[in-house]
Amino acid sequence: MSKKNLLELENINLTFKKKKILEGVSLSLVKGKSYVLMGPNGSGKSSLAKVIMGYSSYQPKKGAKIIFQDQEITGLDIDKRARLGIFLSSQSPPDFDGIRVTDLLQTALADKKSYLQIRKEVEKLSQELQLDPTLIKKPLNQAASGGERKKLELLQAAILDPTFLILDEIDTGVDVDALKTISQFIKRHFFKADKTLFLITHYQRILEYLTPGQVLVMKAGRIIKSGNSSLAKLIDKKGYRWI
Amino acid sequence: MKTTFQLAKGLTEDNIRQIWQRKKEPQWMLEFRLQALKIFYKLPLPKWGPNLSQINFEDFSYYQEVTTTPPRSWEDIPTEIKATYEQLGLPEAEQRFLAGIATQAESQILYKSLRRQLQKRGVIFLSIGEGLKKHPQLFRHYFASVIPPTDNKLAALNSAAWSGGSFVYVPPGVKISQPIQAYFLINIPSVGQFERTLIIVDEGAELNYIEGCSAPLYHQSSLHAGVVEVIVKAGAKMRYTTIQNWSKNVYNLTTQRAKVYQNATMEWIDGNVGSRITMKYPCCLLVGKGAKGYVLSLSLASRGQYHDTGTKIFHLAANTSSRVISKSISLEGGRSSYRGLVYTSPQAVNSKSSVSCDTLILDPQSRSDTYPTMQIKNPKSLIRHEATVSVLDEKKLTYLMSRGLSRTEAEGLLVTSFATPVTQQIPLEYASELNKLIKLEMEASIG
Ligand SMILES: Nc1ncnc2c1ncn2[C@@H]1O[C@H](COP(=O)(O)OP(=O)(O)OP(=O)(O)O)[C@@H](O)[C@H]1O
Ligand SMILES: [Mg+2]
C-alpha cells in the first residue's frame, strides 16, 4: 500500500536575510535508488540537505511540503526526523570534548542496544574503516583529521541504520586509499534495496566506485538538470558553465 | 533513627557543657569547646558571597543521641527523595542506608570487616569520638592543629559543638590503594551536622578517602558546619573526595584544610550538587619543600541554590606546586561563584600554580561569577589563571539531535561532558551516579 516514493519535496524556498538560497525545489526520490547531487560552490546543496534533515535554522518558507515515507514531516523537529530514519553526514561536523562516539550512540540507542553491544560494533566498524583504534576512545572528532571525521560520520550511520542517508561531501579531503575504503564501506552497508542514498559531491572519482542511479545538478538554488551517471562524467570534464 | 536525647535549642555554655558530659570527654576538650564558643560569638559572619544573616544560630539543637533501630519508616521519607534514589538505580539496602533507616546490623557488618583489614596494617579508622578515647595523645597532638577555632566563625561553631565524623591514621609507608568510604562511620550512630574529620597520613603513606555520596542526604536540620583537617607528612599522598548532595534546605558551610609537608601530595576532589547554600573552599597549606596541592571541583547550582566555592592555596616553601580545576554549572536561576586565593610567600621560590575555572551557564536567569585573588610575595614563582564562561553550543546540540537525541538528552550529554575532568577522577560508581544526577536535575528543570 506504501507508495514507491521515499521522499517528496514540494516547492522548497529558503532565504537568509532576503538572499534566496533555494528556489522552488521539488523532487521525488524512489526507495532503494541512489542519487548524486552536484553543483557549484554556494549553489545550495548543503542547505537542501539541512532542510531535509530539519535543522531549525533551515526552515523552508510557507507553501513547502516534505513527505517522507508517506508521512508529512514539514516542521517536524530534527531529532524526530532522525528517529524516522533520516541521517545527514555533516560537511563539517563539530568537535566535542568529553563525548565519545560510543556515548553519543549509547544515548541515541538507549532503548535498543546495550553499551557493550554498541562498543563491540563500533570496534568492528572502525576496523572496517581502517580507523586508528585509539580514536574511538577519544572525544568525538577531537584532534581528528578531515578524513577521520568523515569515517566517524559513516561509522555512526552504520550503527544508527537509517533508511535515507544523505552524505554531504563524504569524499572531500580524503586520500586515495581512504576514498576506496569509504566507498567500499558505503557500498557494503548502504547500497541495499531498503536504503536510499543521496550523495552530494564535487568529484567524479567516488562515482567510479558507486555508480549512481540518477545525477542531479543544482545551480543558484534550483535543480536544473538530471541525468544518468554519464552526466557526472561530463561535468567532470567540462564544468558547469555549459549547462 | 530514633532520637533518644535531644539537647535544648541554643548555643549556651551550659548546652556545650552538656555535650561534653554526655560524650564523656576529657577535661581539655571542655576547655577547648568553651573557648571556641567565646570565639564564635566574637567572630563576624563571612562578609562575602551568600547572605547568611537569615540563620538563627539559637534556633538549633546542637546535639542529639539516636538509637540505630529504625523507627523512622520508609513511608516517612519525602517522596521526592525516594524518587531520586530509584532513578539513580540504587539498591534498596543502600537507599535505606542513605535515608537513615538502615539497621545497625546492615552497616556494622560492612564496617567491621573493613576495619579488621585495616587494623592488620596498623591503620586506625574510627569514629572521631572513639578516636579521642582510644588514641588520646595522637588525637590531641593533631586536633585543631590545621584549623583552629579562630579560623572563622563556622569553624568556631564546629569546634564548640562538634560530634560525629571520622578519625584516620595511616602509619609511615603504608599504602592503602582501595578507597576508604566514610559513610560507614558517619551513620554510626548518627548523621552529624557538626561533624569533624581528622586524618593523618604519616611519612610515605598513601590514603584515598571518600566522603558522602551522590544520593540526596535526608536531613531534618538545615545547618551543616563541618570541619575536615588533613595532615600529609613528608613524601605521603592523600586524596580526599567529597560528593555532596544535601537536600535543598541545607546550609552547607564546611571548612576543609590540609597541611602538606615536604614532597607530599594532597588532592581535594569536591563535588557539590545539593544544598541551598554551600560555602566551601578546600585549602592546601604547602609548608614543606616540593609539596604539591591539587584541587578539582564541580558545582551544580539549580533553582534556589547558591554555591560560593573555591580553593585556597598557600605556597609557603620552595618548589611547591599547585593545580586547580574548577567546573561550575548554573541552571534554572541557580548561582555559582568561584572564589579562589593563591598566595606565595617570600620563601616560596620556584613555586608554580595554575588555576582554571570553567563555567557553564544554561539559561539567562542563571548566574556565575569568578573572584580570583593572587598574593604573590615572591617574584620567582609562576602563577597562571584562566577562566572561561560558556553556554551550550547550539551547533553541537543540533548535531547530537540530528543523531536522534532529544534536546534534553543532548543537553544532558553536553553538560556531563563538561564535568568529565572531575567525574573521570572519581570511582566509576560515583561518576555514573553523578552523571545521572546532573541529567535528573536538568530533566526536572524542564519538566
Ligand atoms: N546559515 C546560513 N546563514 C546565511 N547564509 C547561509 C547559511 N547557510 C548557507 N548560506 C548561504 O547559502 C548559500 C548556499 O550555501 P550551501 O552551503 O548550501 O552551498 P553548497 O552548494 O553546499 O556549497 P559547497 O559546494 O561550497 O559546499 C551560500 O551563499 C551560503 O553563504
Ligand atoms: Mg556544501
Side-chain angles (χ1 to χ4, degrees):
Chain A
M1 138 178 171
S2 158
K3 275 183 258 163
K4 240 172 63 186
N5 283 353
L6 176 88
L7 182 81
E8 300 261 11
L9 297 181
E10 270 175 50
N11 196 26
I12 306 291
N13 288 285
L14 179 75
T15 55
F16 279 117
K17 293 193 183 134
K18 290 190 184 154
K19 187 180 164 197
K20 289 183 175 164
I21 308 297
L22 296 174
E23 287 195 67
V25 175
S26 294
L27 199 60
S28 298
L29 304 185
V30 177
K31 193 175 282 178
K33 202 168 159 182
S34 62
Y35 297 84
V36 166
L37 179 64
M38 301 181 87
N41 291 129
S43 55
K45 303 180 297 297
S46 295
S47 301
L48 181 64
K50 288 174 182 166
V51 167
I52 297 171
M53 186 72 236
Y55 275 59
S56 58
S57 48
Y58 287 78
Q59 293 302 322
K61 277 195 173 165
K62 253 209 181 125
K65 209 166 183 187
I66 308 174
I67 296 164
F68 180 68
Q69 289 180 326
D70 301 336
Q71 178 186 347
E72 175 153 8
I73 58 165
T74 332
L76 196 69
D77 286 341
I78 185 165
D79 53 319
K80 308 241 166 59
R81 294 190 199 192
R83 291 200 172 253
L84 287 177
I86 304 178
F87 183 99
L88 166 59
S89 125
S90 174
Q91 192 176 345
S92 47
D95 329 0
F96 289 89
D97 32 39
I99 301 177
R100 294 162 304 181
V101 71
T102 43
D103 300 325
L104 190 168
L105 291 168
Q106 186 198 9
T107 316
L109 297 171
D111 45 353
K112 296 200 184 79
K113 288 181 182 171
S114 74
Y115 182 72
L116 281 179
Q117 216 176 336
I118 290 168
R119 213 181 57 190
K120 244 193 229 153
E121 286 180 36
V122 166
E123 275 164 16
K124 186 174 161 285
L125 292 168
S126 72
Q127 266 174 16
E128 260 183 60
L129 285 162
Q130 292 174 18
L131 271 169
D132 176 352
T134 61
L135 207 65
I136 51 169
K137 300 200 171 87
K138 286 187 207 151
L140 180 58
N141 292 333
Q142 197 181 74
S145 75
E148 287 166 342
R149 280 161 204 258
K150 304 287 181 186
K151 289 179 175 178
L152 286 163
E153 291 289 288
L154 286 176
L155 187 151
Q156 291 176 56
I159 291 182
L160 293 169
D161 198 26
T163 43
F164 182 46
L165 189 71
I166 311 169
L167 301 176
D168 193 355
E169 297 201 20
I170 198 76
D171 55 339
T172 298
V174 168
D175 71 46
V176 195
D177 295 328
L179 182 70
K180 195 169 168 192
T181 310
I182 281 178
S183 305
Q184 283 167 348
F185 188 87
I186 294 171
K187 207 166 198 172
R188 198 172 321 125
H189 292 274
F190 311 116
F191 258 48
K192 290 182 179 168
D194 60 343
K195 297 203 184 303
T196 305
L197 191 67
F198 193 82
L199 201 67
I200 300 173
T201 183
H202 288 295
Y203 307 110
Q204 158 65 20
R205 235 175 35 197
I206 191 170
L207 306 181
E208 281 161 17
Y209 299 98
L210 305 169
T211 313
Q214 192 176 351
V215 176
L216 303 161
V217 180
M218 179 164 243
K219 215 171 162 180
R222 295 169 190 273
I223 301 211
I224 53 158
K225 204 169 174 66
S226 137
N228 61 19
S229 57
S230 62
L231 177 58
K233 283 186 188 128
L234 213 58
I235 289 169
D236 194 47
K237 231 186 246 164
K238 295 176 42 185
Y240 292 105
R241 247 165 253 162
W242 61 275
I243 303 176
Chain B
M1 277 174 281
K2 185 178 173 184
T3 308
T4 53
F5 170 78
Q6 177 144 14
L7 193 63
K9 282 180 180 180
L11 260 179
T12 60
E13 253 192 55
D14 187 52
N15 277 343
I16 296 299
R17 202 179 288 272
Q18 277 198 59
I19 295 175
W20 171 80
Q21 243 160 20
R22 295 202 73 103
K23 292 173 69 71
K24 302 187 181 72
E25 292 170 347
Q27 183 66 27
W28 71 268
M29 189 52 80
L30 176 63
E31 281 149 28
F32 175 85
R33 286 178 181 275
L34 292 176
Q35 181 64 22
L37 183 66
K38 285 201 187 105
I39 296 165
F40 169 80
Y41 279 112
K42 258 188 237 151
L43 290 175
L45 280 169
K47 290 190 179 60
W48 62 87
N51 182 0
L52 302 180
S53 62
Q54 293 171 46
I55 303 175
N56 178 3
F57 290 99
E58 303 304 329
D59 199 32
F60 293 97
S61 164
Y62 285 86
Y63 183 71
Q64 297 98 40
E65 281 171 14
V66 294
T67 56
T68 35
T69 45
R72 189 166 80 198
S73 75
W74 189 233
E75 282 68 50
D76 298 335
I77 307 301
T79 41
E80 177 200 303
I81 284 182
K82 275 194 273 195
T84 313
Y85 287 162
E86 257 154 45
Q87 282 170 292
L88 285 171
L90 298 177
E92 186 170 321
E94 203 175 329
Q95 293 186 21
R96 294 164 56 82
F97 185 85
L98 294 165
I101 58 170
T103 61
Q104 173 89 343
E106 282 170 330
S107 42
Q108 279 290 15
I109 290 164
L110 292 167
Y111 169 57
K112 279 198 175 133
S113 84
L114 175 66
R115 202 167 81 174
R116 251 197 314 275
Q117 285 171 26
L118 292 172
Q119 256 170 353
K120 276 188 207 146
R121 308 184 62 190
V123 177
I124 301 168
F125 178 47
L126 294 172
S127 76
I128 191 145
E130 281 179 288
L132 172 58
K133 289 202 175 73
K134 295 189 176 153
H135 303 275
Q137 269 144 353
L138 189 66
F139 187 99
R140 193 170 179 179
H141 184 70
Y142 289 107
F143 183 79
S145 68
V146 186
I147 304 173
T150 46
D151 189 79
N152 67 73
K153 190 174 182 76
L154 292 145
L157 173 67
N158 176 288
S159 300
W162 70 271
S163 61
S166 18
F167 178 72
V168 184
Y169 172 79
V170 188
V174 173
K175 295 181 179 164
I176 310 289
S177 50
Q178 197 193 348
I180 303 290
Q181 320 248 352
Y183 66 65
F184 297 121
L185 283 182
I186 293 174
N187 205 44
I188 305 167
S190 156
V191 180
Q193 280 93 260
F194 305 99
E195 90 268 9
R196 267 191 101 99
T197 295
L198 177 57
I199 297 176
I200 302 121
V201 188
D202 217 326
E203 293 183 5
E206 282 180 22
L207 178 66
N208 185 347
Y209 187 84
I210 299 179
E211 173 207 50
C213 68
S214 55
L217 271 180
Y218 178 60
H219 243 280
Q220 280 150 341
S221 172
S222 62
L223 177 60
H224 173 252
V227 163
V228 178
E229 293 181 282
V230 178
I231 293 106
V232 197
K233 291 291 194 67
K237 251 179 123 170
M238 165 78 197
R239 169 180 278 204
Y240 191 103
T241 304
T242 311
I243 303 296
Q244 213 58 276
N245 185 16
W246 299 101
S247 47
K248 291 195 177 154
N249 59 330
V250 169
Y251 287 84
N252 177 26
L253 312 166
T254 292
T255 310
Q256 296 186 175
R257 187 170 309 160
K259 205 167 188 176
V260 193
Y261 290 88
Q262 192 163 337
N263 295 324
T265 303
M266 175 67 202
E267 301 176 347
W268 292 109
I269 296 175
D270 205 50
N272 295 296
V273 182
S275 82
R276 175 172 173 190
I277 286 175
T278 287
M279 290 178 81
K280 196 175 183 194
Y281 318 93
C283 169
C284 291
L285 303 173
L286 306 175
V287 297
K289 282 183 192 163
K292 291 184 188 67
Y294 184 71
V295 184
L296 203 59
S297 69
L298 172 69
S299 144
L300 177 79
S302 183
R303 186 183 320 205
Q305 293 182 281
Y306 187 173
H307 288 175
D308 195 272
T309 57
T311 48
K312 291 196 267 184
I313 310 275
F314 292 87
H315 291 262
L316 303 170
N319 303 321
T320 48
S321 58
S322 61
R323 172 103 183 89
V324 175
I325 298 174
S326 155
K327 297 257 172 189
S328 62
I329 302 160
S330 311
L331 69 154
E332 280 290 296
R335 182 168 176 190
S336 62
S337 305
Y338 173 82
R339 198 178 296 278
L341 169 70
V342 175
Y343 171 89
T344 67
S345 74
Q347 293 79 37
V349 287
N350 299 324
S351 296
K352 276 186 287 195
S353 172
S354 108
V355 177
S356 57
C357 302
D358 300 316
T359 297
L360 185 62
I361 303 179
L362 296 190
D363 48 58
Q365 307 91 273
S366 303
R367 180 171 165 185
S368 174
D369 307 280
T370 305
Y371 307 100
T373 306
M374 279 169 236
Q375 294 174 0
I376 314 300
K377 310 286 181 205
N378 184 320
K380 280 190 162 169
S381 46
L382 194 71
I383 313 293
R384 215 161 53 96
H385 176 95
E386 285 169 9
T388 66
V389 179
S390 49
V391 293
L392 286 183
D393 185 335
E394 203 55 42
K395 266 213 180 91
K396 290 180 183 169
L397 277 174
T398 305
Y399 178 87
L400 294 173
M401 288 171 73
S402 80
R403 301 293 132 103
L405 276 68
S406 69
R407 177 163 275 270
T408 318
E409 287 169 336
E411 288 179 346
L413 204 53
L414 284 174
V415 172
T416 52
S417 79
F418 172 82
T420 306
V422 178
T423 47
Q424 74 188 3
Q425 291 297 325
I426 60 181
L428 202 61
E429 67 270 25
Y430 282 79
S432 77
E433 280 180 20
L434 198 59
N435 281 340
K436 276 190 211 155
L437 201 68
I438 291 174
K439 286 179 185 156
L440 282 179
E441 201 62 60
M442 295 184 56
E443 277 163 27
S445 79
I446 55 158

